[in-house]
Amino acid sequence: MRVLSLCCYLIAGTSRLALYNVRHPSRLGRWAKRSVGILGAVKMVRKALESR
Protein backbone atom coordinates (compact mmCIF):
# COMPACT_ATOMS: atom_id res chain seq x y z
CA MET A 1 0.00 0.00 0.00
CA ARG A 2 2.83 2.39 0.83
CA VAL A 3 4.44 1.82 -2.57
CA LEU A 4 1.26 2.95 -4.31
CA SER A 5 1.34 6.25 -2.41
CA LEU A 6 4.94 6.77 -3.54
CA CYS A 7 4.24 5.87 -7.16
CA CYS A 8 4.24 9.45 -8.45
CA TYR A 9 7.55 10.17 -6.77
CA LEU A 10 9.09 6.97 -8.12
CA ILE A 11 8.04 7.79 -11.67
CA ALA A 12 9.37 11.35 -11.40
CA GLY A 13 12.62 10.15 -9.86
CA THR A 14 13.31 7.50 -12.46
CA SER A 15 12.56 9.86 -15.35
CA ARG A 16 14.86 12.48 -13.85
CA LEU A 17 17.58 9.87 -13.41
CA ALA A 18 17.17 8.76 -17.03
CA LEU A 19 17.54 12.33 -18.30
CA TYR A 20 20.64 12.83 -16.16
CA ASN A 21 22.18 9.64 -17.54
CA VAL A 22 21.57 10.78 -21.10
CA ARG A 23 23.51 13.97 -20.41
CA HIS A 24 26.33 12.30 -18.42
CA PRO A 25 26.77 8.72 -19.68
CA SER A 26 30.28 8.23 -18.24
CA ARG A 27 29.00 8.87 -14.72
CA LEU A 28 26.49 6.06 -15.15
CA GLY A 29 29.32 3.60 -15.73
CA ARG A 30 31.19 4.91 -12.72
CA TRP A 31 28.15 4.50 -10.47
CA ALA A 32 27.50 1.03 -11.87
CA LYS A 33 31.03 -0.05 -10.93
CA ARG A 34 30.64 1.41 -7.45
CA SER A 35 27.32 -0.33 -6.88
CA VAL A 36 28.75 -3.69 -7.96
CA GLY A 37 31.63 -3.19 -5.53
CA ILE A 38 29.29 -2.27 -2.70
CA LEU A 39 27.06 -5.28 -3.36
CA GLY A 40 30.11 -7.55 -3.32
CA ALA A 41 31.22 -6.10 0.02
CA VAL A 42 27.75 -6.56 1.49
CA LYS A 43 27.67 -10.20 0.37
CA MET A 44 31.10 -10.80 1.90
CA VAL A 45 30.04 -9.30 5.24
CA ARG A 46 26.81 -11.32 5.28
CA LYS A 47 28.68 -14.56 4.65
CA ALA A 48 31.19 -13.72 7.38
CA LEU A 49 28.40 -13.02 9.86
CA GLU A 50 26.51 -16.20 8.93
CA SER A 51 29.53 -18.39 9.51
CA ARG A 52 29.82 -17.24 13.13
Side-chain angles (χ1 to χ4, degrees), residues 2-50:
R2 185 173 177 96
V3 175
L4 292 176
S5 64
L6 297 175
C7 186
C8 295
Y9 295 114
L10 290 173
I11 291 171
T14 53
S15 62
R16 187 171 181 187
L17 184 63
L19 289 174
Y20 180 80
N21 287 331
V22 168
R23 295 185 69 187
H24 306 284
S26 62
R27 290 186 183 179
L28 174 65
R30 193 178 316 149
W31 281 105
K33 288 179 186 177
R34 286 180 185 169
S35 63
V36 168
I38 290 171
L39 288 175
V42 168
K43 274 186 170 181
M44 185 176 67
V45 169
R46 281 185 181 171
K47 283 184 180 182
L49 291 176
E50 286 177 359

